[in-house]
Amino acid sequence: MKIGVLALQGNFREHVAVLRRLGADAVEVRKPEQLEGLDGLVIPGGESTAIRRLSRIYGLEEAVRRFGAPIFGTCAGMILLDRNHLGLVDLAVERNAYGRQVASFEADLRLGEEDEPLRGVFIRAPRVVEVGSEVEILAELDGEPVLLRQGRFLVASFHPELTDDTRIHERFLDLVREESLVRP
């Protein structure tokens, strides 16, 4: 599997490292033509305004919008995928809703029926304020959704790339495998 990681700003190196550890061929993406031949794409956390601005400058905004394979967005990536930005996932988010950098925190999250909690790292994290009917909530924090899926899209308001727990990246790779069976 060849997975691209948008490498304009933010935690792209950390995502590349996790994906490679899981056996994926992870590559950094900085230009639209680098999306060709990819089986999936990760849009990392970072500064959403900077990533969005650089995406426009390099022509990636429309290229990502047209990208037909699965996409995983974390933190800033979730913001960029929401209905108010790229419009690819039917949810609305509020930027930095859990507080400023100094208010960053970690919390254990329940992941479906799994017994082992998932450690979520929340850094200036977005809060989901509205969820469309086609969006599935996979994990919550204090009753609020923090990990969601809509079709070929997976989004998290936290940073799974900053822990040793690879379950979220594994789920994304499973999604990529699943989608490769239905894509022409």
Side-chain angles (χ1 to χ4, degrees), residues 6 35 40-43 52 55 60-73 76-93 130-136 148-155 172 175 179:
L6 198 64
L35 292 172
L41 178 68
V42 175
I43 303 177
R52 187 165 186 217
S55 292
L60 278 159
E61 192 171 67
E62 278 309 309
V64 168
R65 207 177 257 125
R66 289 188 312 268
F67 185 72
I71 300 178
F72 176 28
M78 171 191 259
I79 294 167
L80 294 173
L81 291 170
D82 85 348
R83 67 171 72 130
N84 296 317
H85 295 87
L86 290 174
L88 296 172
V89 180
D90 189 15
L91 57 88
V93 300
E130 194 174 321
V131 177
S133 62
E134 300 295 311
V135 179
E136 177 186 5
L148 307 98
R149 177 182 174 183
Q150 180 181 345
R152 64 185 174 89
F153 299 97
L154 181 66
V155 291
F172 177 63
L175 174 60
E179 287 291 315

